[in-house]
Amino acid sequence: MTDTTFSLFGTPQEVPATGNFTREDVSISGLAGGAYVVTFTQRDWGTGQPEFDDVYFQLYNADGTPNGSAVQVNTTTSGHQGLSDVAVLSDGTFV
């Protein structure tokens, strides 16, 4: 992560993937108190078909530890899902 002067700080964090999955199109936004949210596209290379891609988000605490588990965002959308992005709103929620 970077501070307001774009200087690196903290320890690099990996968004882990398992099995035939990779995590791509990663986007990060800071939350109150130093926590942050990461969105990503999870690609299933076992199928080789983009229609099996899904978008997830994962919350992290300020110390870099995961806060809960990754949550699938597109639970009822069929077809290719990718190019994840995240923005934090003025009330602290994110889209």
Side-chain angles (χ1 to χ4, degrees):
M1 299 196 53
T2 61
D3 61 18
T4 56
T5 64
F6 298 101
S7 299
L8 293 174
F9 71 92
T11 304
Q13 300 293 318
E14 180 178 329
V15 178
T18 59
N20 290 325
F21 298 103
T22 59
R23 295 187 173 173
E24 305 172 359
D25 308 323
V26 176
S27 180
I28 303 169
S29 281
L31 301 170
Y36 53 98
V37 59
V38 176
T39 63
F40 55 89
T41 302
Q42 181 166 283
R43 176 157 292 155
D44 183 353
W45 289 101
T47 65
Q49 302 297 316
E51 61 266 21
F52 294 103
D53 292 355
D54 293 306
V55 175
Y56 287 79
F57 76 86
Q58 171 71 58
L59 294 170
Y60 286 87
N61 299 311
D63 65 1
T65 57
N67 181 341
S69 298
V71 176
Q72 186 175 352
V73 174
N74 66 310
T75 57
T76 59
T77 305
S78 63
H80 174 69
Q81 304 298 307
L83 302 176
S84 71
D85 200 3
V86 63
V88 177
L89 305 177
S90 60
D91 66 358
T93 59
F94 57 90
V95 294

